[in-house]
């Protein structure tokens, strides 16, 4: 509202004064019905206005209020309200807007069409409209034109490609409103942070745009700042506001008690719907809370890349092996090899619908992730990278799976890798001696044992798990109807199996470090044992075996 001078007030008619006082009363009433945390959200005019948080926080009420206020106070609006399905719009989004409209304005000033699938609200004074559609109703969406802004309710249920299409259709609305304010187009998102796998997390939280503003209420969230500390002008493309039921002044004590009781029944549900934190839904095999906590910790590798080497006469020239930094590389290193420390690498080869060859390397003293390899190249290329990775980590014990292909194992053997996992088989029919078979074999006995070992680590020592891709696989690794743990349809378990194999074979590697002494310097050709090489030192031809260990 523009400022009115004392002179202008004196010149106003009684009718105009009554109308002014009525408007002021309405503004006070609207302020009383709003939660303070949403004040930045209400005045923000950037492209993407995101409301995320727990249940009972009033997110949807704030969005509905902004939609209604804009068609009353601004010009030339056709605001689209959408959900994933049309019946969801009819059952929740449209009734909420009607409820808020009746509470805040004179309902007679609006023309409201209530027929299911044809819902529409028009402000009679200026012809501004609120339109409704489900993203499953393609034909109806095609018929809606000249959209000026959009509200996407339960945005976590909507596909990113659909949002991208809506964003492309939001164009051409610009200029100045009659009240002097600048016209702007905006997409509002409201949702609960149900899954860490959500595209919304990747788009707005993991990869932030320059100048993005992130606010939170009484519960801290990621790297947001408290909303009261936001004093700068919101000249940015994205505003994110995180809120919970604790930020809603209209929530009663009964609801508070319900939220606290939820913690006793399901801590993951409590984290999502009470505290508004990213969560994992469904009956997953690994600890939901621990996996979620590790994902939020967002541990980054110290370097990413691959190994380069000379390949001569079908052999890897070991002295030529060198590390190459590459952000797009297929090996992630989480710790540099520690001298004298033993390492173990479990490998899962592509097969049974999988696209990836993987290897998980761990420190066998600490049990923590040291490196992860994930590659979809040919098996010989995979084996050579594993060869280099094993040498890099102090000639680690390697155990590639042999169920679907023995080629990686045979390639490692051909290259002369010095330390491979072996399993004992039944005695030979002639010699009656047990034979060593190299490589890990997945069977009805070994698979549940290996997965059980990994499950124990995730439950009791989750900080040992660092790799984000591995953790993401755990969010979609579930028990099927027969109780067998497996990846959900369309998902992968390549890293899970590599890490589980790692656990299973680790007993063949020592679990303590050894003292590593440096190699002696090469003795000079003109060697005289009777004369000192340097003051106080004498060369000796006798070098202990312990001195040469490294």
């Amino acid at each position: 509202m523009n400022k009115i001078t004392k002179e202008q007030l004196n010149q106003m008619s009684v009718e105009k004064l009554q109308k002014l006082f009525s408007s002021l009363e309405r503004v006070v009433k609207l302020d009383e019905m709003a939660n303070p945390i949403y004040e930045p959200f209400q005045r923000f005019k950037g492209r993407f206005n995101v409301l995320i948080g727990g249940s009972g926080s009033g997110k949807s009420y704030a969005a509905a209020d902004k939609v209604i206020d804009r068609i009353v106070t601004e010009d030339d609006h056709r605001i689209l309200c959408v959900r994933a399905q049309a019946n969801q719009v009819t059952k929740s989004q449209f009734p909420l807007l009607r409820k808020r409209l009746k509470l805040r304005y004179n309902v007679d000033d609006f023309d409201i069409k209530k027929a299911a699938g044809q819902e529409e609200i028009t402000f009679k004074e200026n012809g501004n409209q609120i339109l409704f559609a489900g993203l499953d109703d393609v034909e109806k969406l095609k018929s809606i034109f000249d959209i000026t802004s959009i509200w996407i309710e339960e945005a976590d249920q909507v596909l990113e490609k659909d949002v991208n299409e809506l964003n492309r259709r939001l164009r051409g609305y610009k200029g100045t409103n009659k009240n002097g304010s600048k016209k702007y187009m905006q997409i509002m998102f409201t949702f609960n942070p149900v899954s860490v796998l959500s595209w919304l997390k990747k788009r707005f939280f993991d990869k932030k745009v320059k100048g993005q503003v992130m606010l939170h209420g009484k519960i801290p969230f990621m790297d947001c700042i408290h909303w009261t500390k936001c004093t700068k002008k919101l000249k940015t493309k994205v505003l994110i506001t995180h809120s919970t039921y604790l930020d809603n002044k209209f929530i009663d004590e009964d609801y508070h008690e319900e939220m606290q009781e939820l913690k006793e029944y399901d801590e993951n549900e409590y984290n999502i719907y009470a505290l508004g934190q990213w969560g994992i839904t469904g009956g997953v095999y690994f600890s939901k809370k621990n996996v979620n906590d590790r994902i939020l910790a967002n541990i980054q590798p110290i370097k990413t890349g691959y190994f380069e080497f000379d390949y001569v006469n079908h052999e890897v020239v070991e002295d030529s092996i060198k590390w190459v930094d590459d952000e797009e590389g297929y090996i992630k290193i989480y710790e540099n090899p520690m001298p004298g420390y033993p390492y173990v690498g479990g490998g899962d080869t592509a097969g049974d619908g999988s696209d990836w060859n993987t290897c998980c390397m761990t420190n066998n003293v600490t049990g923590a992730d040291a490196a992860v390899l994930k590659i979809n190249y040919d098996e010989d290329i995979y084996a050579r990278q594993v060869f280099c990775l094993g040498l890099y980590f102090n000639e680690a014990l390697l155990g590639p799976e042999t169920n679907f292909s023995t080629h990686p194992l045979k390639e490692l053997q051909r290259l002369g890798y010095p330390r491979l996992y072996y399993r004992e088989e039944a005695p030979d029919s002639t010699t009656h001696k047990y034979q060593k078979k190299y490589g890990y074999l997945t069977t009805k006995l070994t698979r549940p044992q290996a997965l059980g070992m990994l499950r124990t680590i995730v439950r009791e020592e989750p900080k040992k798990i660092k790799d984000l891709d591995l953790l993401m696989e755990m969010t979609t690794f579930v028990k099927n109807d027969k109780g067998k743990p497996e990846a959900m349809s369309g998902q992968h378990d390549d890293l899970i199996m590599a890490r589980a194999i790692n656990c299973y074979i680790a007993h063949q590697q020592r679990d303590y470090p050894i003292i590593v002494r440096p190699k002696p310097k090469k003795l000079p050709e003109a060697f005289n044992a009777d004369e000192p090489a340097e003051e106080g030192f004498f060369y000796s031809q006798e070098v202990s075996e312990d001195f040469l260990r490294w």
Side-chain angles (χ1 to χ4, degrees):
M1 183 177 292
N2 297 328
K3 291 183 179 180
I4 300 174
T5 65
K6 185 176 180 181
E7 183 178 347
Q8 288 174 320
L9 279 173
N10 290 332
Q11 295 177 352
M12 281 187 180
S13 64
V14 174
E15 184 179 349
K16 283 188 176 182
L17 284 171
Q18 287 177 340
K19 189 174 182 179
L20 175 62
F21 291 138
S22 177
S23 298
L24 291 172
E25 287 175 355
R26 183 175 62 80
V27 170
V28 172
K29 180 183 177 183
L30 296 182
D31 286 343
E32 290 175 349
M33 288 188 287
N35 283 303
I37 189 174
Y38 297 119
E39 188 275 329
F41 166 82
Q42 296 294 347
R43 61 183 171 87
F44 180 61
K45 297 182 179 181
R47 186 72 171 190
F48 302 113
N49 206 350
V50 181
L51 291 182
I52 179 174
S55 298
S57 61
K59 302 183 299 295
S60 298
Y61 286 78
D65 290 349
K66 182 163 186 174
V67 169
I68 297 168
D69 289 347
R70 290 192 69 189
I71 69 164
V72 170
T73 61
E74 298 173 7
D75 305 320
D76 308 316
H77 268 307
R78 287 170 58 82
I79 299 179
L80 177 63
C81 297
V82 301
R83 285 196 60 171
Q85 297 178 345
N87 64 341
Q88 296 171 334
V89 173
T90 300
K91 292 178 180 179
S92 66
Q93 199 174 23
F94 177 67
L96 175 59
L97 276 154
R98 284 185 60 202
K99 178 181 177 180
R100 298 303 290 177
L101 187 151
K102 290 179 180 178
L103 187 65
R104 295 158 60 84
Y105 293 95
N106 182 356
V107 71
D108 293 333
D109 292 336
F110 297 84
D111 180 19
I112 302 175
K113 295 181 180 179
K114 306 174 186 177
Q118 300 178 31
E119 296 91 349
E120 191 175 293
I121 297 174
T122 303
F123 185 49
K124 296 176 182 178
E125 184 175 314
N126 58 20
N128 284 343
Q129 293 180 304
I130 305 174
L131 310 172
F132 299 86
L135 292 175
D136 58 340
D137 191 345
V138 179
E139 294 305 316
K140 181 173 181 179
L141 281 170
K142 287 180 179 179
S143 69
I144 299 175
F145 57 92
D146 292 343
I147 302 169
T148 57
S149 282
I150 302 169
W151 171 28
I152 305 175
E153 171 74 325
E154 303 294 354
D156 58 301
Q157 300 174 8
V158 173
L159 298 177
E160 185 175 16
K161 67 179 183 66
D162 291 334
V163 173
N164 291 339
E165 177 59 29
L166 289 172
N167 189 37
R168 284 191 289 269
R169 295 185 61 184
L170 200 60
R171 59 185 183 272
Y173 181 72
K174 56 185 178 181
T176 304
N177 293 300
K178 292 176 183 177
N179 62 10
S181 63
K182 187 178 179 180
K183 291 181 178 179
Y184 65 95
M185 296 173 288
Q186 185 173 94
I187 299 180
M188 299 186 298
F189 301 83
T190 52
F191 62 99
N192 300 116
V194 173
S195 174
V196 291
L197 299 177
S198 172
W199 65 268
L200 289 157
K201 182 177 183 295
K202 295 176 183 177
R203 180 158 176 167
F204 293 119
F205 298 87
D206 296 342
K207 296 181 180 179
K208 306 177 185 66
V209 301
K210 186 177 180 180
Q212 179 171 315
V213 177
M214 301 174 67
L215 311 176
H216 72 77
K218 293 185 178 180
I219 300 295
F221 183 70
M222 299 186 72
D223 51 357
C224 299
I225 62 171
H226 195 273
W227 71 273
T228 55
K229 296 180 180 179
C230 180
T231 55
K232 62 182 180 180
K233 291 183 178 180
L234 297 172
K235 292 184 177 179
T236 177
K237 187 177 180 180
V238 180
L239 172 67
I240 293 172
T241 306
H242 177 271
S243 58
T244 67
Y245 72 101
L246 297 174
D247 299 299
N248 189 347
K249 65 183 182 181
F250 303 105
I251 289 295
D252 56 31
E253 287 300 319
D254 288 341
Y255 195 87
H256 278 259
E257 292 177 7
E258 288 292 327
M259 288 290 103
Q260 290 303 313
E261 289 178 5
L262 182 60
K263 187 176 183 180
E264 299 177 13
Y265 299 121
D266 190 322
E267 191 166 357
N268 183 65
E269 297 283 298
Y270 174 75
N271 284 333
I272 297 171
Y273 296 108
L275 303 184
Q277 304 297 311
W278 291 107
I280 301 169
T281 57
V284 294
Y285 179 75
F286 298 99
S287 167
K288 287 192 284 189
K289 181 182 182 303
N290 289 352
V291 169
N292 188 52
D293 288 347
R294 295 307 291 157
I295 289 173
L296 294 177
N298 196 25
I299 305 299
Q300 297 297 311
I302 59 176
K303 56 186 177 182
T304 302
Y306 57 91
F307 290 100
E308 263 187 3
F309 49 84
D310 294 335
Y311 192 66
V312 180
N313 296 326
H314 304 290
E315 298 289 340
V316 173
V317 180
E318 293 186 21
D319 290 343
S320 72
I321 297 173
K322 63 179 180 180
W323 173 261
V324 177
D325 285 318
D326 183 350
E327 290 184 359
E328 302 299 321
Y330 33 79
I331 301 176
K332 291 179 282 186
I333 304 292
Y334 289 95
E335 74 170 55
N336 287 315
M338 301 169 64
Y341 273 66
Y343 291 86
V344 177
D348 183 58
T349 55
D352 196 25
S354 170
D355 296 325
W356 300 99
N357 292 299
T358 59
C359 178
C360 287
M361 187 72 65
T362 58
N363 182 322
N364 211 40
V365 176
T366 66
D369 288 348
V372 168
L373 183 155
K374 184 178 180 182
I375 188 172
N376 61 354
Y377 295 164
D378 293 343
E379 289 180 330
D380 56 341
I381 297 176
Y382 160 69
R384 292 166 199 166
Q385 287 294 316
V386 171
F387 178 85
C388 296
L389 186 65
L391 293 181
Y392 181 74
F393 279 96
N394 305 338
E395 295 185 355
L397 172 71
L398 297 180
E401 184 188 31
T402 57
N403 284 66
F404 299 103
S405 175
T406 59
H407 185 54
L409 172 64
K410 289 179 178 179
E411 182 68 4
L412 288 169
Q413 290 176 316
R414 188 188 67 78
L415 293 171
Y417 190 79
R419 188 171 293 161
L420 293 169
Y421 167 78
Y422 63 87
R423 59 191 190 278
E424 285 189 348
E425 294 291 324
D428 181 84
S429 59
T430 304
T431 64
H432 301 290
K433 292 182 178 179
Y434 280 89
Q435 296 178 315
K436 289 182 178 179
K437 297 287 186 179
Y438 287 93
Y440 172 85
L441 186 66
T442 302
T443 68
K444 291 182 179 179
L445 293 177
T446 62
R447 187 178 188 274
Q449 288 179 34
L451 286 172
M453 291 176 179
L454 179 56
R455 190 182 196 185
T456 300
I457 290 174
V458 175
R459 184 183 67 247
E460 298 179 1
E461 301 174 284
K463 289 186 178 180
K464 291 182 177 181
I465 309 298
K466 300 177 182 178
D467 186 64
L468 188 60
D469 288 337
L470 170 59
L471 290 162
M472 288 301 189
E473 285 190 0
M474 290 180 179
T475 65
T476 56
F477 195 75
V478 299
K479 284 187 175 182
N480 64 19
D481 294 339
K482 295 181 179 180
K484 178 184 176 181
E486 62 182 10
M488 293 172 62
S489 177
Q491 303 299 323
H492 293 281
D493 62 5
D494 311 286
L495 290 170
I496 288 175
M497 290 311 303
R499 190 63 169 83
I501 292 169
N502 181 294
C503 296
Y504 188 88
I505 70 173
H507 68 280
Q508 285 190 11
Q509 174 67 290
R510 70 177 191 278
D511 58 2
Y512 56 89
I514 58 173
I515 297 174
V516 179
R517 303 183 186 278
K519 283 185 177 180
K521 292 181 179 179
K522 186 178 180 181
L523 299 180
E525 292 181 8
F527 177 78
N528 187 341
D530 298 326
E531 296 181 5
E534 294 180 25
E535 185 178 350
F537 293 89
F538 287 87
Y539 289 121
S540 172
Q541 296 276 15
E542 298 179 2
V543 182
S544 70
E545 184 178 334
D546 180 61
F547 186 77
L548 292 174
R549 278 182 86 185
W550 73 306

